[in-house]
Amino acid sequence: MRSYLAVAVGGLIGTGLRLVCDLAFPHSDDAFPIETLVVNLLGCLALGWLVGGLWTRPATPVWLKAGLGAGVIGSFTTLSAVIASLLALTREGEVWLAALSLLVSVVGGLALAAAGLQLGSTLAHRPLPHDVSDAGETL
């Protein structure tokens, strides 16, 4: 039950942070969705950092992992925002810009997640985790 509550509270925090970013960096439908891209790339870096560092500590409670991972990061970054941006760009005739956004989102996200994983492992003074599973105990 604690994990569900942590995800709900984390979701409120992540959604609030996302709203702040949306309001601070608004863009029209026909403009490049820089805010969506930056938010999702930062989320990839942050999740990699958490998995490489905090997740590797045996004392880290499952509810904290769930609250930060699925809750905060999961609600801060959204695939639906990426898809909505891609559809809006395509509708405005900016197919190449939509393709570039998708490419940067996927490749950049993977690169930053890997960088975050390395950074988290380095800061935690632990080797890179070979298995990031928590044996299904996230929720």
Side-chain angles (χ1 to χ4, degrees):
M1 185 62 165
R2 186 181 294 178
S3 291
Y4 292 110
L5 182 60
V7 170
V9 171
L12 290 171
I13 294 167
T15 301
L17 290 171
R18 180 58 180 257
L19 178 61
V20 167
C21 291
D22 284 342
L23 294 174
F25 304 102
H27 66 275
S28 63
D29 284 348
D30 60 344
F32 188 80
I34 192 70
E35 176 273 331
T36 300
L37 180 63
V38 169
V39 161
N40 286 324
L41 292 177
L42 283 175
C44 289
L45 178 67
L47 189 57
W49 175 71
L50 286 170
V51 169
L54 189 63
W55 268 229
T56 62
R57 297 178 184 197
T60 303
V62 171
W63 64 265
L64 182 60
K65 292 178 186 180
L68 292 174
V72 176
I73 305 281
S75 63
F76 180 64
T77 63
T78 56
L79 181 59
S80 60
V82 172
I83 299 303
S85 295
L86 295 175
L87 290 173
L89 285 170
T90 303
R91 186 181 61 237
E92 296 296 324
E94 299 288 348
V95 177
W96 289 107
L97 197 54
L100 176 64
S101 179
L102 179 60
L103 179 68
V104 172
S105 292
V106 172
V107 174
L110 287 171
L112 284 172
L117 186 62
Q118 181 65 50
L119 179 65
S121 295
T122 300
L123 292 176
H125 305 291
R126 298 180 183 274
L128 283 171
H130 295 287
D131 180 20
V132 294
S133 171
D134 59 4
E137 298 173 359
T138 300
L139 291 179

